[in-house]
Amino acid sequence: MKQKKQAANAKNKLTRVLILFFLIVAAAIFFKSPLAEIKVIQVEGNLIAGKQEILNKAGLVAGDSFFAFRAGAAENRIEEIPGVKSANVKRSFPGNITLEISEYRLAAYQVVNGKAEMVLEDGHVLPMNDLSTWLDRPILSNWSNYEKLKLELCKVLAELSYEQVADLSEIMPAPTKAYPDKIKIYTRSSFEVVTTVSKLKGKLPYLANVVNDLKEAGQMSGRITMLEANSSQPFIPNSQQ
């Protein structure tokens, strides 16, 4: 009886060893098969960072192991790219990798030494790419001595819709003791707007209506003040206001 039990145990042990052996062989065959390779790598959500730059940072190419790479490490490397806020690597079997990119929003652009540069919501400045839509954002001029205020302005501009900034051509700092965050905005509709960074988000939705009302009244250009209250006046030659 004891011998039969020992024989049964030995048989079961042998069976488990054989199963384990075949599983190891099957796994080895699988991981070397095309099914375990990356077939397609998609990049989504990027407008500022180039696709090839993202792929280079991720360190992924078609034909690499689908399972061997570390997604977290790839995400960290992608997030080193200027302008990239976050990255998410998603696997979809068999062989599909999607790199989901979240970028800092574009706030404005500036021109330095004749070259246009993008200014992002976090203050980063990047070379201009070939997307003409960036030109629909305002130019920032004379901000070299007001970096902190410039960053506050960029955060506000990035939150505004295209319709709200479409008429804004150029923005310059104009601080005073009473309004240390005061700015001047030059519009494509030929008006100069005086307001502050802190009031910009609340005042700008009304600017288009103010401009339309002035033009309907025959005032085709001038200065619009949007501080505690809104007011306007035609341009005065040689005025220092």
Side-chain angles (χ1 to χ4, degrees):
M1 190 72 179
K2 184 177 181 181
Q3 289 179 340
K4 288 183 178 180
K5 186 174 182 180
Q6 289 176 340
N9 290 338
K11 185 178 180 180
N12 290 337
K13 184 176 182 180
L14 178 60
T15 301
R16 288 196 295 269
V17 170
L18 288 174
I19 291 173
L20 180 60
F21 172 76
F22 284 116
L23 287 175
I24 292 172
V25 171
I29 294 173
F30 173 78
F31 283 112
K32 289 184 176 296
S33 73
L35 287 175
E37 294 180 353
I38 296 174
K39 298 297 185 184
V40 178
I41 306 174
Q42 296 179 309
V43 180
E44 299 178 351
N46 62 307
L47 291 174
I48 297 171
K51 178 179 178 179
Q52 193 56 52
E53 182 179 16
I54 293 170
L55 292 175
N56 290 343
K57 275 290 189 179
L60 300 175
V61 295
D64 284 351
S65 171
F66 182 76
F67 301 98
F69 76 92
R70 294 174 55 201
E75 291 166 352
N76 291 338
R77 290 193 299 269
I78 295 171
E79 289 167 5
E80 294 174 355
I81 299 174
V84 174
K85 182 186 295 186
S86 64
N88 182 32
V89 176
K90 296 179 68 175
R91 290 181 172 95
S92 178
F93 188 80
N96 294 319
I97 301 292
T98 301
L99 307 179
E100 295 180 341
I101 309 301
S102 175
E103 297 178 324
Y104 289 102
R105 293 169 294 184
L106 181 74
Y109 74 101
Q110 61 187 24
V111 179
V112 177
N113 298 325
K115 294 183 178 180
E117 298 175 329
M118 297 182 289
V119 187
L120 307 184
E121 64 179 304
D122 66 338
H124 271 98
V125 175
L126 301 176
M128 196 77 164
N129 62 23
D130 59 356
L131 295 179
S132 60
T133 53
W134 294 147
L135 296 175
D136 294 327
R137 311 297 294 189
I139 301 172
L140 303 184
S141 300
N142 301 332
W143 286 89
S144 58
N145 295 324
Y146 303 94
E147 289 298 327
K148 184 177 179 181
L149 184 59
K150 178 183 176 183
L151 178 57
E152 294 175 7
L153 174 62
C154 287
K155 290 178 180 178
V156 174
L157 289 174
E159 295 179 357
L160 299 175
S161 67
Y162 164 75
E163 291 75 16
Q164 290 174 320
V165 301
D167 193 37
L168 309 187
S169 175
E170 184 178 11
I171 304 178
M172 302 174 63
T176 63
K177 289 184 178 180
Y179 297 101
D181 63 339
K182 186 177 177 183
I183 55 176
K184 286 185 180 180
I185 303 172
Y186 297 94
T187 72
R188 294 182 174 89
S189 54
S190 301
F191 284 86
E192 176 188 291
V193 181
V194 177
T195 186
T196 66
V197 172
S198 57
K199 295 181 183 298
L200 181 61
K201 188 175 181 179
K203 294 289 187 177
L204 203 55
Y206 304 102
L207 178 60
N209 290 335
V210 172
V211 169
N212 289 336
D213 290 344
L214 290 174
K215 289 195 171 186
E216 287 179 3
Q219 184 176 329
M220 306 308 293
S221 63
R223 180 177 292 110
I224 300 171
T225 301
M226 306 183 84
L227 294 170
E228 305 307 325
N230 298 339
S231 63
S232 66
Q233 64 184 82
F235 283 131
I236 302 173
N238 300 321
S239 171
Q240 300 299 314
Q241 297 183 36

